[in-house]
């Protein structure tokens, strides 16, 4: 085992790697996990990269190479350093890093056995926020964005036997980033989701989509299918099978390596996915003797006037918002067990809908919600004051939107793609978000588009929603905090003017309470205050014309560095209906009873 690792730029000694488009459904492909204990080094002063010209003797066995970029060189003694769990965040695994924002280097060894001419993709479920990846001293690639997956083709960087990977992770906030410098949740740093080696053939199925068409012709229904290979190869035979529907079709790729087709099924053949019956079908895609399986539900989602229609029938979305934090205490949630616990609370609250705020949550959360019959609002972190004029910022947001949709478009429970939350109005903001909404429809035309708006006009007891984004969204959603940022006694007097013939979702309402703190209903931070706030708000919301659902803020107390009130907040946002330890507050029962009445 060598102690010192020296990294050099890609291209040295003839090796190469490249970032390739996200390969979907990695959970059902041939994989090798790299989860577990990784060595780490905290690099407070960004000393990992150094100028070799100042000290050329530190090149190690690369001293005769000619690097193109000296800043791509690093030397560290990893084996002498401690380990932490991946996936995970460094904030809750090392108490010295609780508030840390900066660079941490991660390293681990793994064994690899070549498998003929198969390729290997190095897949990351998410890394927060900016990361550089190296394999066996060579640069594999660079990725920006903290909540979406990415992968590199590292086949030519690997060798038989022992290999190693190094990841430079930097979670510093930036004014031009997405999200921007100021946001109201914990900036968990690290390799926060799964790391996998994905084995694929030279030509493989990169992406596919299978959706139920809204068209009904008598007893006939239609499934729309598309598929894309990683290469532009015509004439490749794909077999699509859905055994339970007795569907088996052989398809041939066109010159661009794609398939686009439609299949007929009968109404009597299938059961649509719904919260009451989250039916999924086993789908198999076979090519050259290799089969990819998926469990896919079929349903339609659309609007009619001020109604949301699921499978053609009106539905009221009984929802709750949630952050991606572990059920007990803080820390980034990252497992099926975390998802199951949190979503069980959602079900026990009487919900059929969850808003995954304010960024794409991990794939376990989305798939577990689908299995449990919970509809999903999925969002990218265009939050508050984004750098609207910066083209690079827009491209970053668009890429995160692309990756969110690509990963989850076959999940029947996702019904809303959200492009923003509480963004202040301006012409630049309208142009940015309008372009983003238009782009979203090119990526997926089967779901609804929304965003969490702000109420901007208020006079006496009349609240008016006026937002130029109304023409881009299918569902009008907005946040309101009467009872928290405005007197709760105003709630019974409030009237809402929403001048759009579209369904309305109140995407946030609520207020803070410390679990176990009791007092009068007008004493802030008590459970009784929060309980009364929910009672007054639900009565007020019953009067909102076109109300199609709500996602109160929030399921569980979550960490935020903005929340500093000693003895009450202690770096937690206390608006949860459940404490950070899973204890239910009195307001929980108010919301549960209201949902039971719907």
């Amino acid at each position: 085992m060598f102690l010192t690792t020296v990294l050099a730029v890609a291209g040295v000694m003839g090796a190469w790697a490249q970032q390739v488009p996200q390969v979907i459904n990695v959970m059902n492909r041939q994989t090798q996990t790299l989860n577990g204990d990784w060595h780490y080094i905290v690099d407070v002063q960004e000393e990992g990269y150094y100028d070799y010209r100042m000290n050329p003797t530190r090149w190690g066995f690369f001293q005769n190479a000619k690097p193109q970029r000296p800043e791509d060189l690093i030397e560290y003694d990893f084996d002498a350093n401690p380990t932490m769990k991946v996936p995970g965040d460094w904030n809750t695994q090392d108490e010295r890093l609780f508030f840390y924002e900066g660079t941490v280097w991660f390293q681990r060894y793994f064994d690899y056995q070549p498998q003929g001419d198969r390729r290997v993709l190095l897949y990351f479920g998410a890394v927060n926020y900016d990361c550089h990846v190296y394999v066996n001293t060579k640069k594999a690639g660079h990725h920006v964005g903290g909540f979406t997956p990415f992968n590199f083709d590292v086949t030519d960087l690997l060798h038989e036997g022992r290999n190693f990977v190094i990841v430079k992770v930097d979670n510093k906030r930036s004014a031009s980033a997405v999200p921007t410098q100021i946001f109201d949740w914990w900036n968990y740093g690290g390799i926060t989701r799964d790391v996998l080696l994905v084995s694929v053939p030279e030509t493989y199925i990169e992406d596919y989509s299978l959706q139920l068409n809204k068209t009904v012709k008598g007893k006939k229904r239609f499934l729309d299918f598309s598929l894309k290979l990683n290469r532009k190869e015509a004439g490749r035979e794909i077999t699509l099978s859905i055994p339970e529907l007795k569907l088996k079709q052989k398809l041939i790729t066109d010159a661009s390596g794609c398939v686009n087709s439609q299949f007929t099924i009968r109404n009597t053949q299938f059961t649509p996915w719904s919260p009451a019956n989250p039916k999924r079908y086993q789908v198999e895609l076979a090519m050259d003797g290799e089969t990819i399986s998926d469990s896919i539900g079929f349903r339609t989602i659309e609007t009619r006037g001020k109604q949301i229609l699921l499978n053609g029938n009106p539905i009221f979305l009984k929802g709750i918002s949630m952050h991606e934090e572990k059920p007990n205490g803080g820390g980034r949630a990252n497992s099926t067990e975390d998802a199951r616990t949190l979503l069980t609370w959602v079900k026990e609250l009487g919900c059929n809908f969850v808003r995954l705020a304010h960024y794409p949550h991990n794939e376990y959360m989305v798939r577990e919600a689908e299995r449990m019959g919970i509809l999903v609002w999925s969002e990218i972190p265009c939050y508050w004051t984004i750098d609207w004029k910066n083209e690079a910022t827009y491209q970053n947001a668009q890429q995160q939107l692309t990756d969110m949709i690509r990963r989850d478009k076959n999940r029947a429970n996702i019904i809303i793609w959200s492009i923003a939350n509480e963004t202040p109005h301006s012409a630049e903001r309208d142009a940015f978000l309008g372009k983003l909404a238009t782009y979203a429809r090119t990526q997926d035309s089967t779901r609804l588009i929304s965003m969490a708006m702000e109420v901007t006009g208020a006079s006496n007891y009349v609240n008016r929603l006026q937002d130029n984004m109304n023409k881009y969204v299918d569902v009008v959603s907005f946040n309101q905090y009467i009872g928290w940022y405005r007197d709760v006694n105003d709630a019974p007097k409030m009237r809402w003017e929403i001048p759009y013939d579209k369904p309305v979702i109140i995407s946030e309402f609520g207020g803070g309470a410390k679990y176990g703190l009791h007092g009068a209903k007008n004493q802030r931070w008590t459970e009784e205050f929060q309980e009364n706030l929910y009672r007054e708000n639900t009565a007020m919301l019953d009067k909102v014309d076109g109300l199609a659902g709500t996602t109160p803020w929030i399921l569980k107390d979550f960490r935020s560095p903005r929340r500093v009130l000693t003895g009450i907040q202690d770096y937690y946002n206390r608006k949860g209906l459940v404490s950070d330890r899973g204890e239910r507050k009195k307001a929980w029962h108010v919301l549960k009873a209201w949902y039971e009445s719907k």
Side-chain angles (χ1 to χ4, degrees), residues 239-265:
T239 302
L240 167 68
S241 302
I242 310 178
E244 195 172 348
L245 295 180
K246 297 181 173 56
L247 176 64
K248 187 172 184 178
Q249 294 283 337
K250 292 187 183 299
L251 305 159
I252 305 298
T253 59
D254 61 20
S256 61
C258 296
V259 170
N260 290 283
S261 191
Q262 188 177 80
F263 311 110
T264 303
I265 57 175

Side-chain angles (χ1 to χ4, degrees), residues 403-590:
D403 293 340
M404 175 178 72
I405 293 174
R406 186 182 181 100
R407 190 192 73 180
D408 293 333
K409 62 178 174 289
N410 290 311
R411 306 282 66 84
N413 59 327
I414 294 186
I415 58 172
I416 294 174
W417 300 124
S418 172
I419 58 173
N421 175 77
E422 286 186 355
T423 51
H425 295 192
S426 69
E428 293 79 13
R429 169 263 201 181
D430 292 348
F432 186 109
L433 293 181
K435 185 178 178 182
L436 208 55
T438 301
Y439 173 78
R441 295 190 193 282
T442 69
Q443 301 302 293
D444 180 12
S445 61
T446 70
R447 289 174 173 84
L448 308 177
I449 303 296
S450 193
M451 58 178 286
M453 302 174 181
E454 292 183 294
V455 176
T456 56
S459 177
N460 296 324
Y461 296 106
V462 178
N463 284 283
R464 296 180 180 87
L465 181 66
Q466 295 177 319
D467 196 312
N468 292 335
M469 286 300 296
N470 76 85
K471 59 181 176 289
Y472 293 101
V473 299
D474 300 297
V475 178
V476 174
S477 306
F478 63 91
N479 302 343
Q480 65 84 18
Y481 280 96
I482 291 171
W484 190 245
Y485 300 123
R486 182 165 177 168
D487 191 344
V488 71
N489 295 318
D490 291 346
K493 309 169 190 175
M494 284 295 168
R495 289 193 301 112
W496 298 89
E497 292 187 356
I498 306 169
Y500 313 118
D501 187 29
K502 295 183 178 184
V504 174
I505 293 177
I506 308 301
S507 38
E508 291 181 26
F509 72 89
K514 177 73 178 290
Y515 175 79
L517 179 62
H518 297 286
K521 68 179 184 180
N522 62 351
Q523 182 182 349
R524 288 173 72 85
W525 300 112
T526 64
E527 288 194 50
E528 288 72 16
F529 182 95
Q530 188 189 45
E531 176 188 40
N532 183 59
L533 184 154
Y534 267 78
R535 188 175 290 116
E536 295 292 347
N537 267 262
T538 52
M540 174 187 68
L541 295 180
D542 276 331
K543 303 172 187 176
V544 174
D545 181 40
L547 185 69
T550 67
T551 51
W553 194 257
I554 187 171
L555 177 66
K556 171 189 171 289
D557 291 349
F558 62 95
R559 281 204 167 115
S560 172
R562 295 166 56 86
R563 310 296 175 166
V564 298
L565 183 59
T566 302
I568 299 292
Q569 293 174 313
D570 298 318
Y571 300 110
Y572 275 97
N573 185 312
R574 296 295 184 188
K575 293 186 179 72
L577 297 178
V578 176
S579 77
D580 57 292
R581 293 296 172 184
E583 303 142 319
R584 295 176 183 179
K585 304 175 190 177
K586 298 183 75 172
W588 164 287
H589 304 286
V590 176

Side-chain angles (χ1 to χ4, degrees), residues 22-34:
Q22 178 196 149
V23 60
I24 71 166
N25 192 19
V26 294
M27 292 181 175
N28 290 298
R29 295 179 188 257
Q30 183 177 328
T31 62
Q32 174 184 340
T33 182
L34 296 189

Side-chain angles (χ1 to χ4, degrees), residues 124-131 143 145-148 150 167 169 190-192:
F124 293 85
V127 178
N128 192 34
Y129 172 77
D130 184 299
C131 77
H143 182 265
F147 306 100
T148 52
F150 57 97
V167 184
V169 183
I191 305 172
T192 56

Side-chain angles (χ1 to χ4, degrees), residues 48-59:
Y49 290 137
Y50 65 90
D51 189 341
Y52 74 97
R53 290 169 297 186
M54 299 300 294
N55 193 350
T57 61
R58 297 177 68 187
W59 287 10

